[in-house]
Amino acid sequence: MNANIRRSDRKRSTDNFLSALIRVDLRLIPLFLLFAFTISAQRTANGWQWQNPLPQGNPLYAIHFAKDKLHGFTVGSDNTILRTENGGFSWQRQTTNTNVVLSGVWCRDKQRAFIVGARGTLLETKNGGKDWRTVDLGVREHFYNISFDNAGLAGWIVGSHGKVFRTLDGGAKWEAVTTPSTDQLLRVSALDELNAIAVGINGLAIVTADGGETWNSSTLCNGAMLSGAAFLGAKTMLAVGYGGCVARSDDGGETFKKIETYSTADILSVSFISEGTGSMTDANGAAWITGDGGVTWLPINVRTNPKLVDIKFGDEFTGWAVGENGLILRTDDGAYSWQRLSEGGREDVNDLTMLDDEIGAAVGSRGRIWLTNNAGKEWFAVFSDVEKNLNAVNFFDGDKGWIVGDGGTVLRTINGGASWGKGANESTADLSGVFFVSDRVGIAVGANGTIIRTTTGGATWESVASGTKHWLEDVKFFDETNGVVVGDRGTILITANAGETWENITIGATENLYAIGVADAKTAYAVGSSGIIFRTDDAGKTWKDQESPIRSNLFAVSVLDMNNVVAVGDLGTVVYTDNGSKWSVQQSATSKLLQAIVYRGGSKLWLGGRGGTIIRRTEPLSPSLLNWPKSPPVLIRNTGKARPQPRQPLLTISSDGDIPIAMPSPTPDQKKP
């Protein structure tokens, strides 16, 4: 594990972890499916509630609608199934008895649909998703895609190691089909019971005109990974893939001609509604349209440049697309413009704080600040006047709070977060942690051993010697004078004079320490890379390594008391202890990187992370009966502290630059004056 992982590089840390763990060539299958199928842990949403984005924030890999363009499904990682009955303007989450990544879906009508996924998963519903039946095909290969012909009778499934299955009766019976390949087949398009095209890794495109009895095999675009295929007519088909690959055949797949798009962006999906009209999406966030059967293409930029991994059209004008962070889009003008069917920001959530059980704040990338007055049921944006990443937030009381971020950014509020002003800080180092021991005295830490201190409530800051050049990640205090800082390569610093001077503590570890949580005047926990967990019972002078149940990075920790602690990290990892020593893994609702946490006992647990993720626990972590404190311990008491009060932003954000929210067309009754 790289010992120099920075807060801004945490996504890279996950990728490194994946590569080391699975030991595979990253080119084998598309990144969005590689991540999902190889190491995503089994997860369900039981006991968790998404608060942002909505309806949920896990990656979505496929979407499909019935011919009425009202009833549809989208599926994705972490066993995600969403259903709509009104064209996508509202969604309901559905559950199954499986617990896998789901990668393909086909909706025949408002009652019947099929879903495929990892480990040979094939699901069928005949009642609109109220019940899903597992269809056992006798294999445990990963299924990547499913497609039916226009009549909905002839269907094809493709998967790993060249596995292909076919049905001729609408899915009542499936049979294995032999192919000339043992490579991963990622997408399939069916014209009828005889004609189909499947594409996959290494530029592989296989075409059959006799129901799979024989196949014509081609290598397209110099072996680029192929991520989509579509039939345009009886003999005409298109294959798309990485490196800007677009190839068309006009002779039933005997030969393919590369189409020049003058782009090298990876093409992620393609959909045609007729022989001439089609669209595709790329990894740079563009939607491409064609009116001449894919001979020429026009790119249409989508605001925020989202990675849309699947696109489907119901007619010449109406289409849908899905992708990262639970994003669902709709177009009603043939892909010239797109609107969001999902809600909420998708900027990374870097830190969370709850002032009480109802009032809280979150900060994140691109200068984002969010507030909640109702325990996270609603999060609303606050103007920050900065574009830098904001990495940490700390409130001294209900009024006074501070935020630090990249480039030496320091913000402060005196009205509970309704508005924020900048502090004067000469340092331009990225700041990753902040803590105030009073309404005047505070400490912030960050890159290259940076420690800055204020005695003016954050109006002005001065540098303090740290004695190290290692990145410092977090700072907390046991009381008004005794504090601790953690950072790279096992760095721990302590102070006994409110941060005026700092002493290095050697703990014999080289792992990065990313976060610290304080329980009382003596007890604290530190977490870091490779799942490392330390505990101190003497205000940071000595530390004991605790046995960790995981090896993935832990990025944040929240302490209720000396025994009840929760930490989060890579791949949606949640670990907790209720006795201060033995740690257990808690199943979470996502495999996304988590880097923010607030734990106030029982079900009062909030997690934050990549792509705007904020999820809340709806039941206690442990089934054992625990006597929870009525509120978290208050370490620095001051009877003059202002209590948290509901607040609204003084300066509203008229536009956050995101894709506009889709609005359903008014009904005839609504149009009447």
Side-chain angles (χ1 to χ4, degrees):
M1 181 66 60
N2 184 351
N4 292 300
I5 300 168
R6 302 290 186 256
R7 176 181 291 269
S8 59
D9 292 334
R10 288 183 180 174
K11 184 176 185 300
R12 188 187 311 161
S13 81
T14 304
D15 295 339
N16 291 341
F17 178 77
L18 294 177
S19 301
L21 181 63
I22 60 180
R23 308 287 184 185
V24 299
D25 186 338
L26 295 182
R27 296 172 299 176
L28 288 183
I29 46 181
L31 183 58
F32 56 89
L33 289 180
L34 169 69
F35 178 85
F37 277 92
T38 51
I39 59 94
S40 180
Q42 294 186 3
R43 306 173 193 278
T44 68
N46 294 336
W48 298 95
Q49 180 183 58
W50 278 92
Q51 294 190 330
N52 191 80
L54 294 175
Q56 62 88 53
N58 288 320
L60 297 172
Y61 301 135
I63 189 169
H64 195 264
F65 275 76
K67 292 181 179 180
D68 63 10
K69 294 175 288 186
L70 296 175
H71 296 83
F73 292 89
T74 180
V75 300
S77 73
D78 304 289
N79 209 48
T80 299
I81 304 175
L82 301 177
R83 181 178 187 264
T84 180
E85 298 178 350
N86 59 2
F89 293 102
S90 63
W91 296 86
Q92 301 81 42
R93 182 149 190 165
Q94 299 189 324
T95 59
T96 71
N97 58 2
T98 60
N99 210 355
V100 298
V101 176
L102 304 173
S103 58
V105 60
W106 185 271
C107 181
R108 182 174 180 181
D109 53 40
K110 67 179 183 179
Q111 299 294 337
R112 292 175 292 179
F114 289 92
I115 293 173
V116 296
R119 296 193 290 275
T121 297
L122 173 60
L123 303 175
E124 179 186 17
T125 183
K126 295 182 179 180
N127 57 8
K130 295 178 182 178
D131 302 290
W132 289 92
R133 180 179 70 91
T134 299
V135 181
D136 187 4
L137 296 185
V139 298
R140 289 298 175 261
E141 304 290 346
H142 298 324
F143 291 154
Y144 295 119
N145 195 219
I146 182 170
S147 179
F148 279 78
D149 65 2
N150 194 50
L153 295 176
W156 300 77
I157 296 172
V158 296
S160 56
H161 301 108
K163 285 293 182 182
V164 174
F165 285 84
R166 183 184 70 155
T167 181
L168 298 177
D169 53 12
K173 180 181 178 181
W174 294 84
E175 60 180 1
V177 176
T178 302
T179 70
S181 174
T182 58
D183 282 338
Q184 320 281 1
L185 294 174
L186 304 177
R187 292 289 183 264
V188 62
S189 178
L191 179 66
D192 51 37
E193 70 275 10
L194 298 178
N195 294 275
I197 176 175
V199 298
I201 66 172
N202 301 322
L204 177 65
I206 58 174
V207 180
T208 182
D210 54 15
E213 292 292 331
T214 60
W215 296 84
N216 184 68
S217 181
S218 302
T219 300
L220 309 182
C221 299
N222 299 317
M225 187 186 321
L226 301 182
S227 55
F231 264 98
L232 282 63
K235 292 290 184 179
T236 307
M237 62 197 72
L238 203 77
V240 300
Y242 281 25
C245 173
V246 180
R248 174 179 159 130
S249 174
D250 292 299
D251 55 11
E254 292 290 332
T255 61
F256 282 85
K257 178 181 179 182
K258 190 175 186 301
I259 303 297
E260 183 58 68
T261 63
Y262 304 98
S263 171
T264 59
D266 295 336
I267 307 300
L268 302 180
S269 64
V270 64
S271 174
F272 272 77
I273 192 63
S274 67
E275 188 168 353
T277 304
S279 183
M280 61 185 185
T281 62
D282 70 28
N284 290 347
W288 296 71
I289 58 176
T290 181
D292 58 7
V295 177
T296 58
W297 291 88
L298 174 68
I300 305 294
N301 289 327
V302 181
R303 192 182 295 185
T304 72
N305 303 320
K307 288 183 174 60
L308 302 172
V309 301
D310 195 29
I311 185 172
K312 293 292 188 301
F313 272 79
D315 58 34
E316 184 178 354
F317 301 103
T318 309
W320 302 265
V322 295
E324 58 187 354
N325 304 321
L327 183 62
I328 310 173
L329 301 183
R330 175 180 170 124
T331 180
D332 291 289
D333 57 9
Y336 282 97
S337 65
W338 294 86
Q339 293 79 42
R340 269 186 301 146
L341 297 170
S342 49
E343 301 178 13
R346 300 184 304 285
E347 293 84 4
D348 295 342
V349 176
N350 294 331
D351 199 13
L352 284 166
T353 187
M354 294 297 294
L355 282 64
D356 59 20
D357 290 346
E358 298 291 325
I359 296 176
V363 299
S365 58
R366 296 179 57 233
R368 297 305 188 201
I369 304 173
W370 302 271
L371 303 178
T372 182
N373 293 322
N374 54 10
K377 294 177 183 177
E378 297 172 293
W379 292 89
F380 54 91
V382 178
F383 181 71
S384 70
D385 197 29
V386 298
E387 290 291 331
K388 299 285 188 180
N389 294 333
L390 301 178
N391 299 323
V393 57
N394 176 244
F395 274 80
F396 177 72
D397 58 21
D399 288 334
K400 300 180 180 66
W402 298 264
I403 294 171
V404 297
D406 289 355
T409 299
V410 178
L411 304 177
R412 59 178 183 153
T413 181
I414 57 173
N415 54 18
S419 62
W420 296 82
K422 297 178 181 178
N425 172 30
E426 295 182 358
S427 172
T428 58
D430 292 347
L431 300 174
S432 54
V434 62
F435 192 89
F436 271 70
V437 299
S438 69
D439 62 351
R440 305 286 294 174
V441 179
I443 302 292
V445 301
N448 302 317
T450 296
I451 299 180
I452 58 175
R453 184 174 187 266
T454 181
T455 57
T456 60
T460 59
W461 296 77
E462 296 181 352
S463 295
V464 176
S466 68
T468 182
K469 289 297 183 181
H470 291 152
W471 191 291
L472 303 178
E473 288 279 359
D474 199 9
V475 55
K476 293 292 189 299
F477 274 74
F478 298 93
D479 53 38
E480 291 185 352
T481 57
N482 294 282
V484 60
V485 169
V486 297
D488 274 5
R489 298 183 181 274
T491 298
I492 294 183
L493 309 176
I494 62 172
T495 181
N497 54 16
E500 293 183 27
T501 60
W502 294 85
E503 174 189 356
N504 182 67
I505 300 297
T506 301
I507 62 172
T510 59
E511 289 88 354
N512 293 342
L513 300 176
Y514 293 121
I516 186 169
V518 172
D520 52 38
K522 297 293 184 181
T523 308
Y525 293 81
V527 300
S529 59
S530 302
I532 197 165
I533 304 172
F534 282 94
R535 171 172 168 158
T536 180
D537 291 294
D538 56 10
K541 297 180 180 63
T542 61
W543 295 79
K544 182 179 179 181
D545 186 6
Q546 297 199 315
E547 184 176 351
S548 175
I550 48 92
R551 293 289 295 166
S552 55
N553 298 326
L554 296 174
F555 291 128
V557 61
S558 185
V559 177
L560 179 67
D561 55 39
M562 65 184 300
N563 291 323
N564 293 282
V565 188
V566 186
V568 297
D570 271 335
L571 308 174
T573 297
V574 179
V575 296
Y576 74 101
T577 179
D578 57 11
N579 61 12
S581 59
K582 183 179 180 180
W583 291 79
S584 302
V585 176
Q586 169 68 51
Q587 190 178 66
S588 74
T590 185
S591 55
K592 300 177 72 171
L593 184 149
L594 300 174
Q595 58 190 6
I597 181 172
V598 174
Y599 184 41
R600 296 179 62 85
S603 63
K604 291 175 286 190
L605 171 64
W606 294 261
L607 311 179
R610 291 293 184 191
T613 295
I614 302 178
I615 55 179
R616 182 182 172 174
R617 189 72 182 160
T618 58
E619 58 190 48
L621 287 171
S622 174
S624 60
L625 182 60
L626 299 175
N627 294 319
W628 305 108
K630 292 184 178 180
S631 62
V634 180
L635 302 178
I636 304 173
R637 302 185 183 276
N638 185 331
T639 57
K641 282 187 177 181
R643 293 180 178 273
Q645 299 291 334
R647 58 269 195 259
Q648 296 295 328
L650 297 184
L651 183 60
T652 59
I653 300 176
S654 58
S655 174
D656 59 3
D658 206 348
I659 303 166
I661 289 288
M663 300 297 293
S665 301
T667 64
D669 290 339
Q670 291 173 322
K671 292 179 180 180
K672 294 179 180 179

